[in-house]
Amino acid sequence: MSDVGPEESGGAVGLPSRRRRPTPMSQWDPTARLSYWAFHANRRPAYMRFAYLQLGSDEGAEATVDATFDSIMGQWLRMLHMDRLDAYAWTVLKHCLADRQRRHDAWRRQPEPVDISAFEAALKEARADQYEVLTDTIRFYSAVSRLAERQRDAVLLRYGLQCTPGEAADVMGVDEATVRSYLGQAHRRLARLLDTPSGPADPDGADPAGPTEPTEPAGS
């Protein structure tokens, strides 16, 4: 698989070629095995919930996350030497989600109700006064679909999964300040697209006067 750009990969480095044969876990040292299973236990719940928000299916979410951790397992020994291991793992998840959505043509499907709650919460944080815009479902989802990928990810983690900005940053493998910047951009973008006052971007600290595009995290 060829490398991808930061927008398509969620801000992390591209995936390596699959021609490299992974080292079986049976040949790993005990520390590597323990570190993998600790990462698996720590990240799988959030990955499952995020995948469900994207796919609207327990079966689809489980298959996608299983594929994600299969891929991570195959690259784990190399990942242990990365500066931003979490960012790389997030890239793997996003690629597996994209593969799943392409196979099932799911990207055009109507989002599940849980998505509505997440984005309503995001819009509320943007201090929107014209709440009647939320009744126009087509217009609302059209606006959401026009957010940049990393902005959508941050919004889903922050409002759909109820993560704090710091927790969302850990899952995405970026700095907390970067997540706050993504959220601020998303709030302002939604407010502009829906013709609502933007107000303060986020009570948790996103800077409404922040840069248009945050600095990308360093590659591994």
Side-chain angles (χ1 to χ4, degrees), residues 17-215:
S17 170
R18 292 180 177 176
R19 290 176 295 181
R20 182 181 301 172
R21 186 182 298 275
T23 302
M25 184 180 283
S26 61
Q27 298 179 20
W28 296 4
D29 63 59
T31 301
R33 287 198 296 270
L34 285 173
S35 65
Y36 171 80
W37 289 117
F39 181 85
H40 183 282
N42 183 269
R43 290 288 179 256
R44 184 178 174 85
Y47 284 10
M48 281 291 296
R49 292 163 62 200
F50 184 85
Y52 178 80
L53 287 177
Q54 296 284 0
L55 301 172
S57 162
D58 287 331
E59 180 182 1
E62 185 168 7
T64 298
V65 174
D66 284 347
T68 297
F69 279 104
D70 284 346
S71 181
I72 289 173
M73 182 187 296
Q75 296 297 326
W76 187 250
L77 297 183
R78 189 176 76 90
M79 290 173 65
L80 289 175
H81 299 286
M82 294 180 177
D83 293 331
R84 304 301 291 270
L85 183 151
D86 280 295
Y88 183 86
W90 184 253
T91 300
V92 176
L93 174 64
K94 296 304 296 293
H95 274 268
C96 289
L97 277 168
D99 287 345
R100 180 82 184 186
Q101 289 168 327
R102 279 194 295 269
R103 286 197 304 270
H104 296 276
D105 197 24
W107 69 279
R108 289 186 181 276
R109 293 188 306 170
Q110 179 71 14
E112 294 293 306
V114 67
D115 288 338
I116 297 175
S117 299
F119 289 111
E120 284 180 350
L123 192 59
K124 183 178 180 181
E125 294 292 354
R127 301 296 191 270
D129 295 326
Q130 302 174 18
Y131 286 104
E132 64 270 19
V133 298
L134 297 178
T135 63
D136 187 344
T137 304
I138 296 177
R139 179 168 174 258
F140 186 67
Y141 279 106
S142 176
V144 168
S145 70
R146 292 168 66 184
L147 291 176
E149 179 183 352
R150 286 162 289 175
Q151 295 170 14
R152 292 195 304 270
D153 290 351
V155 166
L156 280 172
L157 289 167
R158 177 72 178 93
Y159 302 105
L161 275 63
Q162 301 299 309
C163 293
T164 66
E167 290 168 343
D170 288 341
V171 172
M172 293 178 70
V174 297
D175 297 329
E176 182 175 339
T178 302
V179 167
R180 292 183 185 277
S181 182
Y182 291 157
L183 291 171
Q185 293 166 28
H187 295 154
R188 295 191 296 275
R189 178 72 168 161
L190 283 174
R192 287 196 301 271
L193 292 171
L194 296 171
D195 297 322
T196 60
S198 60
D202 191 321
D204 289 313
D207 182 4
T212 301
E213 288 293 337
T215 303

